[in-house]
Amino acid sequence: MTAPSSIVVLTGAGVSAESGVDTFRDKGGIWSKADYREVATPEGFARNPAKVHEFYNLRRRRLVGIRPNAAHFALARLEAAFGGAFLLVTQNVDSLHEAAGSRKLIHMHGRHDSALCMHCGQRSPWTGDMSLETPCPVCEATGGVRPDVVWFGEMPYRMDEIYRALRACDLFVSIGTSGTVYPAAQSVRDAQAAGARTVELNLEPSEKADAFDEAFHGPATEIVPAFVGRLLSP
Ligand code: APR
């Protein structure tokens, strides 16, 4: 197998699961305890902004103190050691990839440590709770600050860059995602159309498992470092 010259990695909630971050669709996951239509859509926010703010305040509090795991560190090692083009696209809103040292990174679904003002459109670094009374750190208006995360029905961030990278890559690796949410779930097809080899690393076969050329199943903290090790010393 020839060494790749351009790698795109897509991660989902499964890469952070062993750091103690809840996934969405596993048993007992986030969407088994909250209705995404009420807390993760623009319509839900318009209907009951306080409920949406409380949902994200709770999630933001649960992310305090979490640490990157061996899978995050392995991906940072791959980025640093790989001589070719590299892009890590994450669906996750936690900042564990950055904490592990990843830099060539796109948060396509936004991030929990950022606030977006609907009045001025500015983003600001954010920790702590948020509410309708929260003034925007930039324009100081209240009533318009929201979590800087992409809700269902909204366009994920920086899709042009992601599509360009997928069309140029010769290795696409999907890690810890159920492959149920678009456009992220389309990535494997986009990479294949560009002639890339596609690999799934997941606890168990995802909904898109059959679309991949190869698959390795098990906990991310085991299979990701092993995969990166083989990639860096073929
Ligand atoms: N190691 C590897 N994979 C794991 C682990 C683990 N320790 N634990 C769980 N997984 C896998 C599960 O098997 C599942 O396939 O991670 C995947 C998590 O799937 P989801 O919970 O659906 O999360 P994700 O795919 O990231 O969801 C995509 O949906 O709700 C939206 O915006 C939200 O970004 C999220 C998007």
Side-chain angles (χ1 to χ4, degrees):
M1 177 181 15
T2 51
S5 62
S6 170
I7 301 176
V8 173
V9 177
L10 170 71
T11 60
V15 81
S16 297
E18 291 162 86
S19 293
V21 182
D22 292 335
T23 62
F24 293 92
R25 295 172 183 82
D26 288 325
K27 190 171 176 327
I30 293 170
W31 297 142
S32 71
K33 297 170 186 150
D35 181 339
Y36 77 89
R37 292 162 299 187
E38 293 179 5
V39 296
T41 61
E43 296 78 12
F45 187 68
R47 250 193 323 272
N48 188 343
K51 180 173 187 148
V52 174
H53 275 309
E54 191 45 37
F55 173 75
Y56 284 94
N57 290 343
L58 287 174
R59 284 191 64 202
R60 212 175 283 114
R61 286 181 217 146
R62 286 176 62 87
L63 294 174
V64 171
I66 58 169
R67 303 283 306 136
N69 62 52
H72 297 103
F73 286 115
L75 291 172
R77 205 166 47 249
L78 176 58
E79 174 184 323
F82 181 60
F86 181 88
L87 178 64
L88 172 54
V89 180
T90 188
Q91 299 174 87
N92 301 339
V93 295
D94 64 56
S95 39
L96 293 175
H97 283 305
E98 293 87 342
S102 290
R103 291 296 172 266
K104 296 176 183 172
L105 172 61
I106 292 179
H107 278 271
M108 67 183 295
H109 288 168
R111 36 187 319 164
H112 76 99
D113 54 3
S114 172
L116 172 62
C117 176
M118 296 184 293
H119 294 316
C120 69
Q122 294 298 308
R123 289 180 166 79
S124 309
W126 195 265
T127 56
D129 287 356
M130 215 183 267
S131 76
L132 273 180
E133 289 70 48
T134 304
C136 166
V138 178
C139 71
E140 298 176 359
T142 57
V145 173
R146 61 165 272 189
D148 186 14
V149 298
V150 176
W151 287 329
F152 289 93
E154 295 184 321
M155 179 53 76
Y157 296 154
R158 300 172 61 183
M159 285 310 298
D160 290 347
E161 293 171 68
I162 295 169
Y163 285 136
R164 260 200 309 280
L166 286 169
R167 282 197 295 271
C169 76
D170 51 10
L171 175 60
F172 172 71
V173 189
S174 175
I175 303 174
T177 181
S178 57
T180 49
V181 173
Y182 286 81
Q186 178 68 19
S187 304
V188 58
R189 295 289 182 210
D190 293 336
Q192 269 166 352
R197 179 163 70 92
T198 57
V199 184
E200 174 176 87
L201 305 179
N202 208 55
L203 186 63
E204 58 205 6
S206 74
E207 289 206 2
K208 287 285 178 302
D210 296 344
F212 289 86
D213 299 316
E214 274 183 292
F216 298 91
H217 296 129
T221 54
E222 292 172 19
I223 60 175
V224 177
F227 180 79
V228 168
R230 290 194 299 273
L231 206 52
L232 293 179
S233 47

